[in-house]
Amino acid sequence: MTGHQTSDTGARLHQALALGLVGKDTAACELMADTLINSDVHQAYNLCRSIAHAGHTALLILLGEHAPNLSAGDFWMLQPLQPDSDTADPASLFSSRFIVAHCNDDPDAAMALYVALVTSGHETRFQGMSRLFADAVGLLRAAEKHKAAQGQ
């Protein structure tokens, strides 16, 4: 992987997130799908990290001063919205757990989740990464609405 490939992949991710943020979902998903399909496993892991970072940034905006403070010993965690959410589809589980691992600055957990995703097969990898992208876009949209409501 060359530096040029990495910057192209990053630029494509940035463009896909921007398209998703303004509601151009089809174009965003097509661009992200093409980027994922043409990424090797290392590029795909870096894409996951970048997508999770976008989700984390959005969560910080949404939670403001109530966001967990890692330096004070706080941590991010999942709270199921429904009692049976442990049986959620693997893509959703990967997405939420990967974002939480990133938020907690836990690269070991993030890598373990990614390795599990990759070894689950191409289809599962694509679905998990697509779900991660969709969740990040949803969080970014919510953050934008929150900022607008706050007059920022």
Side-chain angles (χ1 to χ4, degrees):
M1 171 173 62
T2 67
H4 180 67
Q5 288 170 316
T6 302
S7 66
D8 285 351
T9 302
R12 291 170 64 86
L13 172 60
H14 186 272
Q15 184 180 6
L17 287 169
L19 287 167
L21 190 57
V22 296
K24 295 184 178 182
D25 296 336
T26 301
C29 290
E30 287 174 355
L31 180 58
M32 193 71 245
D34 183 60
T35 303
L36 292 173
I37 289 167
N38 292 301
S39 297
D40 64 29
V41 292
H42 301 291
Q43 289 171 316
Y45 177 66
N46 287 328
L47 277 169
C48 285
R49 289 178 50 207
S50 296
I51 294 167
H53 182 74
H56 182 207
T57 300
L59 286 168
L60 290 172
I61 292 168
L62 289 165
L63 296 174
E65 65 185 39
H66 302 291
N69 180 350
L70 298 181
S71 62
D74 296 342
F75 58 91
W76 295 81
M77 60 183 221
L78 293 171
Q79 290 186 324
L81 298 177
Q82 300 171 335
D84 64 347
S85 64
D86 282 345
T87 60
D89 69 284
S92 294
L93 288 173
F94 167 77
S95 174
S96 57
R97 290 176 179 170
F98 195 88
I99 290 172
V100 168
H102 180 81
C103 290
N104 283 326
D105 193 23
D106 188 347
D108 293 336
M111 179 59 80
L113 288 163
Y114 180 71
V115 167
L117 182 73
V118 169
T119 58
S120 295
H122 182 73
E123 182 74 19
T124 302
R125 173 184 162 209
F126 184 79
Q127 289 173 354
M129 292 183 69
S130 296
R131 181 78 251 163
L132 179 64
F133 176 75
D135 289 348
V137 167
L139 288 168
L140 288 169
R141 285 179 181 165
E144 285 297 312
K145 285 181 185 175
H146 178 76
K147 285 177 17 181
Q150 301 295 316
Q152 298 177 358

